[in-house]
């Protein structure tokens, strides 16, 4: 890797003791890409939070004791203030409760002061920055999808495997003739004219993760039966505890009016 092509990574070390800062600085100088890192020192909680609010640095290495405050308190304040840069907590205690508290509050990593070496230090920084990049990309994707969800002229429905409705867009409210507030109390099975179509839909999406142009009859709130083409994909959460179906519904009732011979519940 050509270090000249790498944008310097600015690291703020928050610690009362300048000796600790110098030790950490020496450790970074021994890393594979030492010229990549530029280290700065801050010795107070107030200066640290001010720097965080201004996004002056790429990552923060925060020692657990900062005067009358703790690193976790600084982390809490950073999160409340929507600070996007990662925070690594360093402590001299082997108390696992401190470890758990720091990670639960949103720390990117937790390091034990007496056991920090060049490898663990650089790895923690690289991991934290990589994780931040992934989160930013995920947030951008979610924002794009949210815009598509809200602006789509076609109804978009988000449901789980048993049919509970988690969200629906404005076009969906108009399509079903019910406000979002009331739709969330329904089960999507209530809108299928033939429950066997719902079973076929679930089988297909669980088999391949997607369904394209699944043709089905849907019952609107006023009892009107609409012919629809549904395209869906299955989203599974990171740890596999939740499954959500994102479905775009296209009203093709006018097509069926012209071609009544088309079969229902077909998948193409």
């Amino acid at each position: 890797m050509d270090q000249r092509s790498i944008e310097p990574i600015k690291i703020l070390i928050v610690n009362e003791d300048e000796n600790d800062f110098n030790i950490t600085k020496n450790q970074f100088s021994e890393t594979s890409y030492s010229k990549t890192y530029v280290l700065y020192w801050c010795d107070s909680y107030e200066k640290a939070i001010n720097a965080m609010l201004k996004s002056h640095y790429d990552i923060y290495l925060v020692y657990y004791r900062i005067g009358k405050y703790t690193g976790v308190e600084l982390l809490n304040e950073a999160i409340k203030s929507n600070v996007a840069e990662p925070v690594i907590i360093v402590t001299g205690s082997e108390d696992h409760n401190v470890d758990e508290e720091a990670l639960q509050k949103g720390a990117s990593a937790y390091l034990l002061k007496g056991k920090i070496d060049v490898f663990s230090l650089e790895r923690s920084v690289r991991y934290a920055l990589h994780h931040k990049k992934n989160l930013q990309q995920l947030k951008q994707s979610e924002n794009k999808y949210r815009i598509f969800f809200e602006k789509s002229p076609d109804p978009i429905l988000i449901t789980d495997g048993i049919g509970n409705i988690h969200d629906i867009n404005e076009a969906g409210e108009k399509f079903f003739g019910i406000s979002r507030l009331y739709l969330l109390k329904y089960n999507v099975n209530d809108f299928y004219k033939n429950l066997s179509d719902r079973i076929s839909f679930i089988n297909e999406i669980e088999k391949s993760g997607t369904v394209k142009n699944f043709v089905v009859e849907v019952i609107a709130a006023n009892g009107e039966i609409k012919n629809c083409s549904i395209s869906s994909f299955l989203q599974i959460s990171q740890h596999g505890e939740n499954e959500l179906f994102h479905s775009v519904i296209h009203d093709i009732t006018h097509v069926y009016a012209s071609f009544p011979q088309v079969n229902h519940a077909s998948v193409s």
Side-chain angles (χ1 to χ4, degrees), residues 48-106:
I49 195 61
N50 183 57
M52 288 177 167
L53 293 175
K54 294 179 179 178
S55 297
H56 281 172
Y57 305 93
D58 299 303
I59 189 168
Y60 302 92
L61 199 63
V62 178
Y63 281 69
Y64 190 74
R65 288 293 170 191
I66 317 167
K68 64 179 182 179
Y69 299 98
T70 68
V72 173
E73 287 176 313
L74 179 60
L75 175 64
N76 281 335
E77 187 62 33
I79 291 172
K80 285 195 296 184
S81 301
N82 296 315
V83 173
E85 292 74 29
V87 176
I88 296 174
I89 300 292
V90 180
T91 181
S93 169
E94 293 193 40
D95 185 349
H96 291 295
N97 291 328
V98 175
D99 180 349
E100 287 296 323
E101 182 185 14
L103 295 176
Q104 287 178 3
K105 295 293 185 181

Side-chain angles (χ1 to χ4, degrees), residues 15 17 19-21 23-24 27 63-64 89-94 110-117 120-121:
N15 186 3
D17 190 343
N19 288 330
D20 283 334
F21 166 71
I23 291 171
T24 306
Q27 287 177 316
Y63 281 69
Y64 190 74
I89 300 292
V90 180
T91 181
S93 169
E94 293 193 40
Y110 172 93
L111 295 173
L112 190 60
K113 179 179 174 182
K115 296 184 179 180
I116 297 177
D117 56 29
S120 63
L121 192 60

Side-chain angles (χ1 to χ4, degrees), residues 137-152 154-159 167-169 231-235 244-248:
Q137 291 174 341
L138 178 61
K139 187 174 182 180
Q140 289 173 354
S141 296
E142 289 175 344
N143 288 341
K144 288 178 181 177
Y145 175 75
R146 195 69 203 177
I147 293 171
F148 167 73
F149 179 86
E150 293 172 352
K151 301 296 183 181
S152 172
D154 287 321
I156 300 179
L157 193 64
I158 302 176
T159 61
D167 206 354
I168 191 166
N169 64 352
S231 295
S232 304
F233 68 89
L234 173 61
Q235 178 191 45
L244 292 176
F245 303 145
H246 297 250
S247 302
V248 180

Side-chain angles (χ1 to χ4, degrees), residues 178-194:
I178 312 175
S179 71
R180 180 181 178 277
L181 180 64
Y182 288 102
L183 269 167
L184 296 181
K185 299 177 182 179
Y186 279 78
N187 187 290
V188 73
N189 296 338
D190 299 331
F191 299 106
Y192 277 76
K193 180 184 177 184
N194 301 305

